[in-house]
Amino acid sequence: MARAIASKELVSIAQVYIDKKDCELNAIEILLEKLDLEGNLISIDAIATQTSLAKTITARGGDYLLPVKDNQLHSKQELEELFCPHFAKHIAVNKQTELGHGRIETRRYESILHPLELEASSILSRWAGLASVHKVSRIREDKKTGKKSQETAYYISSSTDLEAIHKTIRDHWAIENKLHYCLDVFLRQDDSRKRVRNVPQIMDLIQKVNLYLLQRIKQKKKSSISRMMLNFGCMSPSQIIDLEF
């Protein structure tokens, strides 16, 4: 399934269910056709880092933010070469530190605006409307053990709004943690054996509504989702309906 999610509200606004004979890229293309892209910054997983999708998004008035991994090896190599001392004066740096879940995470954002004006590249010029490139270094430290892990990711975008880009990069991971993870762990979506006709689609919608309500109540009650689910199990339908969200 391909989902479109509004990152600020963490609400699923559209989805396309994938047939066994279809691929995820086709589903993403169909999903984009359903959305109003005008004036919006669209972030997608690395599987959608394709020149055709970048062209589709910009042609419809939107901006893309796409991770560049080994599926676009030559583009990744070009980005790695841009973030070198030779271009240091053109690199804007933003550093953020966040504490949560027993760990300290430090993120260093390095961004270059209008990279093709610095150095011509036949590879990067394939990306429609390319206006900025980004390197994100993350260092995570476990407060209890002191163990550290580090990763580096690269992104391309047709936007020059660095504040929005950095926030969207962060929000993309929040979507994974607060939506996909919760659907799988708390509502056990991946374990579902419902396969008949349109039952999987119906259950998916019901689970998303359930999760949305659980998250609203969690914020109000300052509790965990698992604890809220246990509490709901002891309540009558009328008591649940009377709750303030």
Side-chain angles (χ1 to χ4, degrees):
M1 179 197 308
R3 299 188 182 105
I5 301 164
S7 60
K8 184 177 180 181
E9 297 82 7
L10 283 178
V11 174
S12 180
I13 56 177
Q15 51 271 320
V16 173
Y17 299 96
I18 303 173
D19 253 2
K20 292 181 180 179
K21 296 181 180 179
D22 293 334
C23 70
E24 193 171 347
L25 274 177
N26 292 336
I28 292 172
E29 291 177 354
I30 295 170
L31 189 59
L32 289 175
E33 292 175 2
K34 296 175 177 289
L35 301 174
D36 179 8
L37 306 183
E38 183 74 34
N40 292 311
L41 180 58
I42 312 299
S43 173
I44 318 180
D45 289 340
I47 191 174
T49 304
Q50 305 290 333
T51 56
S52 58
L53 290 180
K55 185 176 180 180
T56 295
I57 292 170
T58 54
R60 293 181 50 199
D63 284 309
Y64 60 81
L65 174 63
L66 302 173
V68 177
K69 297 184 178 181
D70 289 341
N71 66 322
Q72 294 289 343
L73 183 58
H74 296 301
S75 291
K76 183 181 177 183
Q77 290 173 344
E78 290 286 302
L79 295 183
E80 290 173 337
E81 292 177 6
L82 280 172
F83 290 96
C84 68
H86 179 72
F87 297 109
K89 65 179 181 180
H90 301 285
I91 300 174
V93 179
N94 179 22
K95 192 174 182 180
Q96 299 175 359
T97 301
E98 189 175 280
L99 174 63
H101 304 290
R103 69 183 184 187
I104 302 171
E105 180 172 317
T106 302
R107 296 184 296 275
R108 177 184 170 89
Y109 298 91
E110 298 176 59
S111 302
I112 298 176
L113 299 180
H114 309 297
L116 295 178
E117 294 180 3
L118 298 180
E119 185 172 74
S121 169
S122 59
I123 295 174
L124 293 182
S125 62
R126 295 183 299 120
W127 299 97
L130 179 67
S132 61
V133 295
H134 311 271
K135 176 182 178 182
V136 183
S137 304
R138 301 181 182 91
I139 299 176
R140 298 184 180 93
E141 179 181 356
D142 189 294
K143 287 186 65 180
K144 186 176 182 179
T145 64
K147 185 177 179 180
K148 292 184 179 181
S149 61
Q150 184 172 348
E151 64 178 356
T152 301
Y154 293 90
Y155 297 83
I156 55 176
S157 179
S158 58
S159 172
T160 57
D161 186 341
L162 296 186
E163 182 178 354
I165 289 170
H166 297 166
K167 185 178 185 304
T168 302
I169 290 173
R170 178 59 179 159
D171 286 348
H172 191 93
W173 288 105
I175 289 168
E176 185 67 33
N177 294 333
K178 294 181 180 180
L179 181 67
H180 298 160
Y181 176 84
C182 291
L183 286 171
D184 294 340
V185 172
F186 297 113
L187 301 181
R188 303 185 68 82
Q189 190 176 76
D190 282 353
D191 294 336
S192 175
R193 293 295 178 264
K194 296 177 174 62
R195 298 288 186 268
V196 180
R197 294 187 296 274
N198 63 341
V199 173
Q201 292 91 324
I202 294 172
M203 290 305 302
D204 175 64
L205 293 173
I206 291 173
Q207 287 176 327
K208 286 175 183 173
V209 172
N210 288 340
L211 180 59
Y212 176 72
L213 296 177
L214 283 167
Q215 288 175 332
R216 290 286 298 274
I217 297 174
K218 172 189 171 184
Q219 293 175 353
K220 190 175 182 65
K221 301 292 186 181
K222 306 297 182 183
S223 183
S224 66
I225 289 179
S226 57
R227 185 177 295 275
M228 291 307 307
M229 291 177 69
L230 288 173
N231 290 341
F232 284 164
C234 300
M235 297 169 66
S236 66
S238 60
Q239 288 176 309
I240 296 176
I241 291 172
D242 289 336
L243 288 173
E244 294 183 7
F245 296 102

